[in-house]
Amino acid sequence: DDDVNGALEDDGKPIGESPDSRFIKFDIELGRGSFKTVYKGLDTDTGVAVAWCELQHHKLSKNERLRFREEAEMLKGLQHPNIVRFYDSWDYQSPKGKKCIILVTELMTSGTLKTYLKRFKSIKPKVLRSWCRQILKGLHFLHTRNPAIIHRDLKCDNIFITGPTGSVKVGDLGLATLKRTSFAKSVIG
């Protein structure tokens, strides 16, 4: 029990929880994007650290929010070694009245492919081949679902590296759902 308490102290102070109390949000900000902020979280069912993402409600149209809610259920069922796991999502309104959508996903500890490529200028061809193979395996998994899942926003920002194994995972599937353009819808159908 002391080990668990010690580990939790390193996570900062709990400042929020999911409606079902499974997920806890800590006061440690891990990253910030144009319409999301990511905090460190914890899955109390497994004791595993997770990413708690808050999407700004006002930057999304009513249609985008509705479409995301429909697709969130499907995203929860996806499990593949090269896809960032999506656990849950819900709407939240802060005591100050600020609305957001919360997404809880697998925590990727080594950052994105974009930050990795900036940090290390030369990467061995063997490593690049391995990364490409893993990205393609993840995409193949998505494309062979029924119905097929198309990411629609695949870029180095949305490809994550896991520290210990150096494995690569395609992520931000939920955000790709929200970022569809009319062009993408007309071309992809």
Side-chain angles (χ1 to χ4, degrees):
D1 195 37
D2 286 341
D3 290 340
V4 171
N5 291 335
L8 290 178
E9 285 170 22
D10 298 339
D11 288 330
K13 192 175 77 172
I15 56 169
E17 68 177 23
S18 60
D20 62 2
S21 301
R22 176 179 174 180
F23 300 102
I24 295 172
K25 171 188 171 184
F26 294 106
D27 62 351
I28 295 175
E29 190 177 305
L30 299 176
R32 193 175 280 266
S34 57
F35 71 118
K36 73 171 180 175
T37 308
V38 183
Y39 297 90
K40 189 165 188 183
L42 179 74
D43 181 345
T44 62
D45 280 3
T46 61
V48 172
V50 294
W52 174 296
C53 309
E54 296 185 355
L55 307 181
Q56 295 174 29
H57 202 272
H58 68 277
K59 292 197 177 177
L60 307 170
S61 73
K62 191 175 182 178
N63 273 352
E64 286 172 325
R65 293 191 301 266
L66 186 65
R67 192 171 59 235
F68 175 75
R69 281 189 204 98
E70 289 169 359
E71 295 197 14
E73 286 307 306
M74 172 270 305
L75 293 172
K76 285 183 203 176
L78 297 178
Q79 278 188 274
H80 186 274
N82 302 114
I83 299 293
V84 175
R85 184 83 194 272
F86 178 95
Y87 291 109
D88 205 356
S89 70
W90 62 91
D91 290 308
Y92 174 74
Q93 186 166 346
S94 75
K96 295 176 185 169
K98 191 184 97 178
K99 291 180 178 177
C100 62
I101 297 174
I102 311 287
L103 309 180
V104 177
T105 66
E106 179 180 1
L107 179 63
M108 302 303 291
T109 52
S110 295
T112 67
L113 192 52
K114 183 179 182 177
T115 57
Y116 202 91
L117 292 171
K118 277 184 182 170
R119 221 178 323 156
F120 305 100
K121 297 297 179 206
S122 69
I123 295 159
K124 293 180 180 174
K126 183 173 93 174
V127 174
L128 290 174
R129 277 195 302 275
S130 170
W131 288 349
C132 289
R133 204 171 289 116
Q134 291 176 69
I135 293 165
L136 290 171
K137 282 180 184 176
L139 291 175
H140 177 72
F141 171 77
L142 294 174
H143 295 172
T144 55
R145 299 303 91 207
N146 191 7
I149 299 165
I150 299 166
H151 191 290
R152 290 185 172 91
D153 194 28
L154 191 64
K155 56 188 178 188
C156 290
D157 282 329
N158 296 335
I159 298 169
F160 299 85
I161 298 177
T162 56
T165 57
S167 68
V168 173
K169 297 188 182 205
V170 175
D172 278 358
L173 281 167
L175 301 185
T177 296
L178 292 170
K179 287 182 181 174
R180 284 185 200 157
T181 63
S182 56
F183 172 77
K185 279 188 285 187
S186 65
V187 171
I188 297 166

